[in-house]
Amino acid sequence: MPIPPTMTELIQDLLRRIEVGEFQPGSQIPSTKQLSDHYDVSPATIHRAVATLREQGVLVGRPGRGVFVAEAAQH
């Protein structure tokens, strides 16, 4: 069983997935539950990683709709 990623590894992998086009600009990222299951980390860890990427301008939140990749991802 693989070891769950550290916060830094989690953020780097999300950035990589955006850079390779898995998550396109303007598209919604998977839910907290889906990401939590995928990375085998707690929802709180996903929330912290997403908050960090929102602060960096890579992701944007839309209240009641979800979290999306910024149109011009600035990383």
Side-chain angles (χ1 to χ4, degrees):
M1 179 173 224
I3 298 171
T6 65
M7 179 64 66
T8 300
E9 292 168 339
L10 173 59
I11 291 169
Q12 288 173 342
D13 193 61
L14 288 170
L15 286 170
R16 179 194 61 77
R17 293 172 78 179
I18 292 167
E19 288 167 2
V20 301
E22 186 175 342
F23 302 146
Q24 297 285 323
S27 69
Q28 186 172 9
I29 65 168
S31 71
T32 298
K33 168 126 178 56
Q34 290 170 318
L35 290 172
S36 176
D37 289 347
H38 176 81
Y39 289 106
D40 193 26
V41 297
S42 72
T45 300
I46 297 298
H47 281 291
R48 288 196 312 274
V50 167
T52 299
L53 293 173
R54 287 176 66 177
E55 288 171 9
Q56 294 175 1
V58 175
L59 298 175
V60 293
R62 300 279 184 251
R65 294 187 54 217
V67 178
F68 296 80
V69 178
E71 290 292 341
Q74 302 160 359
H75 44 216

